[in-house]
Amino acid sequence: MLTWLQTLSNKRTRSESEDSLADTPPSQNDIAAGQTQVNESSTCAAVDEVLTCGDEDESDTTSTDDNSRVSEHEWPECWSQAQVRYFSTNYKWLMSRNQKLGCSVCSQVCARVDMQQGQRVSQEWSGCLISSFGRDKAAQQNSLQKKIKEHRDSIYHKKAVEIKEKATQNTMQKHIEDMRKADYASACNVFRTTYKIGKHGRPFTDMPIDVQLQVLNGVKMGRVLHSNNSCANILDHIAAEMKKKVVNDIVMNERKLCVLIDESTTIGGKSVLVVCLRSAISSEKPDTIFFELIELQGTTAKDITEALLGCLHNNGFDPHYLQEHLLAFACDGASVMLGRKAGVAAQLCSKFPYLFVWHCSNHRLELAVCDVLKERLLVIGRVLSVRWVASSERTVKAVWENYQALQVHFTSAAADTSRDSRERAKYKGLDVLTTDSFVVNLGIMYDALTELSDLSRMLQRRDMTLDQADRQLDRQIRVFESMVSTPGPYTQTAIEAEKKKFFRNVCLHENQRVIKINPGQFFRSLAENVKCRMTPTTSSHVSRTSSEKTDSHLLSDIKVLQSDSWPASLDIQYGDAAVRRLCQRFRVGERESVLGFREYKDLNASKTPEALKPLLKAVHTIAVSTSECERAFSSMNDTLTDKRNSLDIKRLSNLIFLKCNGPPLDQFNAQTYVQTWLALGRRSAASTNCEAQSAGKVEPKTCWSLF
């Protein structure tokens, strides 16, 4: 027994010594001898095998390049640096840890997925446990090369590679999306129908019948979301998402901002505030859009200011962003807006010191015309007492073109004995219509208002900028100054009619009580009033709480950017001081803008340098007119009618936003809003977890069988 134990111990000792000898790193002499042996004899076939392994298909090498960054001592010691580089490059799935090899693909797949019957993931390769064996380096290299080749050609490795490729293709995600396509298709059809109702101002009660029509036409509309309540909720969601996209585009791109407001009342007598924004939304050129309709708790300047700031903050414009990017504020000329001490503009300027306040150009133009009427014409002032100059022009045009019909109507009405005596006296008093002085005055006003209405329409354009408006005003003032000596076409026609005492088949007579306008004095006064009202240094739009000196130089500084205002001999530093003042006011990079302006001058304004574009974009962000607010009021009156007066202000604001800003129906991307709708946990149109809306029962008629 003892002899047998000694024999077993000797065998175990000898076996351990052999294993330790095989695992012991060879000396330098052994390495050299082993390398010589590889090059000369037994490893020739192995080298050929290594070289042929380079033809491996790329589909089998689908791992990362992290192996190339592993330090040399991590790889098997029997490999030279050239061999490490070769194997890590051609077998990208090969990895090494603690001088042992492994497979990164099998390690990632491991036992997390099911393999086919009879297949398994190698635990040795997935756990990085593959080591070499052999007494010398050549044998160790051969053993590793053989194991690598066998693993590469193994079925389970190829299956692991296939599984990983499918995982990188997001097959499950695509399968889920394919399953949802049917739901998306029906939901998108519902959303398009809903958007059509909101975009064209139709009542929500149109939704069920529109859905029924499309179902009859073969369109898949799902089971639910067909009611008028669903229509209202979907429109609210679409408007909220659109508004969120606008705010994100402005904030994320750090665009400059101009706010326009106007106050009015709804058909129900509620005081509301229209808020519009002007910014370079998703483009290089600034644009003006309707933003929100707010119900006011009071009509004081403090109430309006708090409502405006609350609207901006609630929609994602934080105070820090407004301090840096809010450039201008535009409004009408009401005292609550432009009051020197406590107006909305004064309160905003106290919070935002660099804010530029602009009084709407169209309102100031109307005030200029009213000033002239008070000075020169009081007789037909009622005709011209409407809000916009273009409306006044249409009124005068109607009188001019229908002059004969009006004269016949008034004459017959005054002679009609069936009318009341007071009514006949009123019509008889309108005989001033046939006086020569009235016709001359009408021709003068027609010429003046034709020019002013064209100017007013140009100022109402959404793409009108401050420098363009200043150029248009300067040209119009010169036109009025020219009309002092050269009458317009309608004035000339009226003067000729006065001489002939005959106008549009109507005989004219004199009446000393009707004061005749002097054309030269009228157009001279009109030019002076327009110039006075539209000049920043004298008009009320300049904020008294901010630096008047800076504001008074604003337009003159902006003119420097216009190439037609440059002198003939242009100095290289011309306008640099004005550009610096504009950069300080609008918080734009000063040095970049100056360099861009100098390049702009060298190019003779043929191309706008990139360095100058931020300053130009900031200048063009200032709104010239609050006409967008008036358009919003028109849309509000079209939507909130006497038959649809139960809409709350929030929903009314969403409908106006869609009508004013939403794209046409053929450009509406419904899938985007369906995805956000479903992400909020709302029902899909194909949902089966709720009861479908039942069709309303209609009492049949016997004649339907004939039709």
Side-chain angles (χ1 to χ4, degrees), residues 400 403-404 439 442 493-494 497 501-508:
W400 179 272
Y403 182 81
Q404 183 179 4
V439 172
L442 188 65
T493 302
K501 301 296 182 181
F502 199 76
F503 178 67
R504 292 187 177 271
N505 299 324
V506 177
C507 295
L508 304 179

Side-chain angles (χ1 to χ4, degrees), residues 83-98:
Q83 289 174 314
V84 169
R85 188 181 304 109
Y86 175 82
F87 281 104
S88 63
T89 302
N90 291 275
Y91 298 88
K92 295 187 181 298
W93 46 265
L94 196 65
M95 64 180 182
S96 179
R97 186 167 57 243
N98 298 326

